[in-house]
Amino acid sequence: MSTAFKSSLTILFEAPFWIGLYERTDSGKYEVCKITFGSEPKDYEVYEFLLKNWHKLKFSPPIQAEVFIERKLNPKRMQREIQSQLQDKGVGTKAQQALKLQHEQCKLERKAKSQTHRRRADNTQGKFTCDYRFFFISIYDESLPRPMGKEKNRSWAG
């Protein structure tokens, strides 16, 4: 297995925001991170964001990636491939799968956190009980006069 490290940042418009897909491959493991920018970012804004927030990026769980043997390319062919990558629009399916896996993992974490929160709330609130029947009876006590409904207009003798 090769120990090559490869990374790429693709910025694209996914309505209504501009997003960045940061993909990295290290030792045959593929990971992706989705960055939401909002308005269209300038090159220096992207560079500044990566420098400041590199340690905060949450990458997807690693997926086994195919190992490609890199060969030397003709410079013209390399430029053509770079131009075709720049023209390519949309998210790669591998990136979509990795983001979906990250989303599922975050959903499971959120679910576990809410379950523990709910259990704690049940333990503290379980000691207090309220009898709603007593509350209902005290409001609608029959010894008090009942309020009359809106009186109908019977002015015409029809």
Side-chain angles (χ1 to χ4, degrees):
M1 209 177 265
S2 98
T3 59
F5 181 81
K6 186 177 180 181
S7 66
S8 68
L9 176 65
T10 308
I11 297 179
L12 50 107
F13 183 72
E14 195 173 271
F17 302 111
W18 285 86
I19 64 165
L21 283 178
Y22 187 78
E23 302 169 286
R24 68 180 181 191
T25 306
D26 187 19
S27 303
K29 307 258 184 193
Y30 175 81
E31 298 172 316
V32 66
C33 175
K34 183 178 179 181
I35 305 166
T36 305
F37 287 110
S39 62
E40 184 174 4
K42 306 274 190 250
D43 289 343
Y44 64 89
E45 292 173 337
V46 172
Y47 182 68
E48 186 178 317
F49 177 83
L50 287 176
L51 288 177
K52 285 184 179 178
N53 300 310
W54 174 255
H55 62 283
K56 295 178 188 176
L57 295 179
K58 284 191 166 187
F59 285 91
S60 67
I63 297 175
Q64 191 64 34
E66 302 89 27
V67 179
F68 293 106
I69 300 171
E70 290 195 30
R71 55 191 165 105
K72 290 195 174 191
L73 291 176
N74 183 338
K76 286 185 178 180
R77 181 181 296 272
M78 188 184 312
Q79 278 197 337
R80 271 184 262 144
E81 287 182 6
I82 289 171
Q83 287 300 321
S84 68
Q85 286 179 359
L86 289 175
Q87 295 293 326
D88 189 24
K89 296 177 182 169
V91 182
T93 57
K94 195 184 296 184
Q96 287 175 339
Q97 291 171 353
L99 285 173
K100 186 70 172 176
L101 187 62
Q102 181 184 16
H103 178 71
E104 293 294 327
Q105 190 177 36
C106 288
K107 188 166 43 168
L108 291 174
E109 290 172 6
R110 200 170 42 245
K111 191 182 264 188
K113 189 175 181 181
S114 67
Q115 284 177 350
T116 56
H117 180 70
R118 199 176 312 120
R119 283 190 198 125
R120 286 182 188 157
D122 288 345
N123 289 341
T124 58
Q125 293 176 355
K127 297 175 179 114
F128 175 73
T129 58
C130 179
D131 191 4
Y132 291 105
R133 291 174 291 161
F134 175 73
F135 180 72
F136 181 76
I137 291 171
S138 65
I139 290 176
Y140 298 103
D141 192 1
E142 291 187 16
S143 64
L144 298 173
R146 293 184 67 191
M148 297 296 289
K150 185 176 178 183
E151 210 170 296
K152 294 183 179 179
N153 185 5
R154 297 179 190 251
S155 62
W156 61 283

